[in-house]
Amino acid sequence: MNRVMQMWQAGLSLLLCSNVALADWSALNMRQGVTEISQRVYDLHMLIFYICCAIGVLVFGVMIISMLMHRKSLGVTPATFHEDTRVEVAWTVIPIIILLVMAVPATSTLRDMYESSDSDLDIEVRGYQWKWQYTYLNEDPAEEIQFMSALKTPRNEIQNLEAKGEHYLLDVDNPLVIPINKRVRFLVTSQDTIHSFWVPDFAVKRDAIPGFIHESWAVVEEPGVYRGQCAELCGKDHGFMPIVVHAVEQADYDLWIAEKQAEAKEVFNTVGKTWSKDELMVKGEEVYLQHCAACHQPNGQGIPPAFPSLVGQGIAVGPMSGHIDILLNGQAGTAMQAFGQQLNPAEIAAVITYERNAWGNDMNDMVQPKEINTMMASE
Amino acid sequence: MSAVIEEHHHDGHHHGPDKGIMRWVFTTNHKDIGTLYLWFSFLMFLTGGVLALGIRTELFQPGLQIIQPEIFNQLTTMHGLIMVFGAVMPAFVGLANWLIPMMIGAPDMALPRMNNYSFWILPFAFGMLLSTFFMEGGAPNYGWTFYAPLSTDYAPPSVTFFIFAVHMMGISSIMGSINVVVTILNMRAPGMTLMKMPLFVWTWFITAYLLIAVMPVLAGVVTMMLMDIHFGTAFFNAGGGGDPVLFQHVFWFFGHPEVYIMILPAFGVVSAIIPTFARKRLFGYDSMVYATASIAFLSFIVWAHHMFTVGIPLAGELYFMYATMLIAVPTGVKVFNWVATMWQGAMTFETPMLFAIAFVILFTIGGLSGLMLAIVPADFQYHDTYFVVAHFHYVLVPGSVFSIMAAVYYWIPKWTGNMYDETLGKTHFWLSFIGVNVTFFPQHFIGLAGMPRRIPDYALQFADWNMVSSCGAFLFGFSQLLFLFIVIKCIRGGKKATDQVWEGAHGLEWTIPSPAPYHTFTTPPTSMKEAHG
């Protein structure tokens, strides 16, 4: 009786193990995704995979049989044949037929991926070193929603000072939000180097090329959170610019849009008010760590010569006008971006004030969001 | 042609090598130059290997441990550049130098002084490339494919040195290739018709044409970069009317034939080794030659399959997909021919044969994943992931590198006059075979699961297989020290090799003494019966 129990338990645990193994296995294959296209891409992948496996088994099988049977140690005499036209024609023609079998579904899937009918929603995706900017295009520019989306994983997790969270390196501050069952078109471009916008669950991968716009689209069928990464080497933090997409019901999407528009209004109001230096410093540190620290480092020391130090030298201790100019317009030929297109006037004023008064940079001056706003408007 | 060959030295005085270091500096002897190339490439193989182990150490666990991202990008870039231009290509040129004259019954390469020059450029080119590690801003960090504008507007200052180094490597390759072409066309012994040449000679002949055709394209693209960086042009800058994608088109017009430059001579090596140890003539010699030529031709018209995600129009995507799939046909013919050569042979499994068989199996795996990558819709998911990394390492490491090792084991008795240690050779094979598969097979999985390439840190679901891959890399890397030991041991002594060396070997190189004298075939051989298996 005891023995039977033991066997039963062993069998059960074996079953559980194999279940676990199966679950792991699916995590090692291409994702089926949540769009019709991604499912077809997956099916295509599996079809070619099985064909390749079959070819492999056949070729390697013959080789293994040969290696076992046709060994000198078995006393065999080598055959003398060295050509056979029929065989050679066969193994030229049969592969061509197999290739045709693969080409047909590949062609039809690709045609459908390139099908460019009208979309329900157009989103401009713009790659930056090393974050994404999403702009929800709207006929009325005042109604446009635009925001940056950057890595949220804390530095301490990357530096192994804290335990890594569930979505380590795959979490962002402001995810892209799209409605389900709507045809969403991504217009992909870049501000600096080439990036690549990749969301595996949508089977969408499109290179972001500076100066050009390429499109891709998806109709997401299931609500959920879908994560991807930049897929083209784009410099130092290429590995640290994930993409997170929330696909939500239309009603939730409308709610989110309203919220975003209210936020934009609030930003507009904060630009109008006069800030105290302490307020600017607090806001400035937050902006600095989010947007500047990747290159200039949290302590302002940078990684010379590509990313110069800001401590006791350079723009942060030079004239205010030069500091503002570089922040707004960037520095041509270097990695320094034009933040006038990424940050709002309050954020720019805050980070400038912070850089001039942090790490022992004792400039003791400040700039108001209002002033920045006037400058940006006049450009 | 015959005028050159029949011009004998009647003074009866044959020069041996000079003494000391100057022998190597001034040598015009094809065997000495071949040796220089092989040792140089092994040094580069170890250098590139150390960089690879740096990469795999950082990727052992998630999180940043020892290598910061800006250094990581330098390691991946320099690993690729050194392995492609410093290890694999010079190794094949070294084999060409040693073997082509001996295989076609020629006394030396046709252009011996140029031969010396084309080798001696290389140490300077790579010295300069490696010195960028110590420059302000560090070494090239934009990937071995150096896509603009990352390699132009956003590159470290050392990019100019990189461009100059690439120019020097290009000059070296072009001169080496011209030498191969001229030697093969003019220096064959009487009776050695083109269709009697050993396949190694054939594959190198075709490779040399590929090199002559595409190295100038590489020179062109780096010159355009140089102009963009220093002279205000805008070839690759949309802001000035250029196009970053133009860079990729020009680069891959070089880059795809380059892939075949690194594998065609390997086909030649394997086509020599398998018949020897199967004791049976190579199956389908003619179709091997035609398949090689077809692959070389196709390699010029498939370049954009590296760029399926850049936004090529549908018609372009379809064309490049079909053309790429077509390469499977001649490649398949080659694999089937090797298998048919083994079939009903009388095989023994000495170290060269083990490497050659592993080549056929593992190169085929790399070829099949290449076929998968050709399918555009699926490529959108594979592109720039570890699936691609696994694919090209399968064709390059157990492909090209294994064939080079097979070649060394196969011909080293002829070069040194001594047999290598068979037990150690087999140990080296099995360690390398296990190491390579443990390193690169799991990378298929993590690539399909979504891990992009060229990242210093990764999400947690990729952790397990990355750890396995890193362990394999260390096994493979350290096994190569055993290879070094075996080669040195063989040079210093060992069982004396016969002239024939291998029971089943055919070809003119086996008709001369072991070790091969400093000068061979000063009079051309008369019998071509032994030309190829």
Side-chain angles (χ1 to χ4, degrees), chain A residues 27 45 66 70 72 78-79 82 88 91 99 107 114 158 160 168 192 198 200 205 207 214 231-232 235 238, chain B residues 63-64 73 154 279 284 287 309-310 312 317 322 325 337 342 344-345 347 380-384 449 454 457 503:
Chain A
H45 156 72
S66 181
H70 309 138
K72 194 190 175 200
H82 58 87
E88 289 177 66
W91 68 40
L99 290 177
T107 305
Y114 265 72
I158 298 171
N160 309 305
Y168 177 68
D192 36 54
W198 181 31
K205 185 183 283 155
D207 288 0
H214 291 291
E232 179 63 56
H238 163 54
Chain B
L64 293 176
N73 287 344
Y154 298 89
R279 292 168 182 75
S287 66
T309 61
V310 302
I312 297 171
E317 302 268 79
Y322 299 148
M325 291 168 79
N337 279 343
M342 291 167 65
Q344 291 191 350
M347 280 186 275
F380 288 151
Q381 296 284 49
Y382 307 140
H383 178 74
D384 262 332
R454 295 166 164 166
D457 193 6
E503 182 191 22

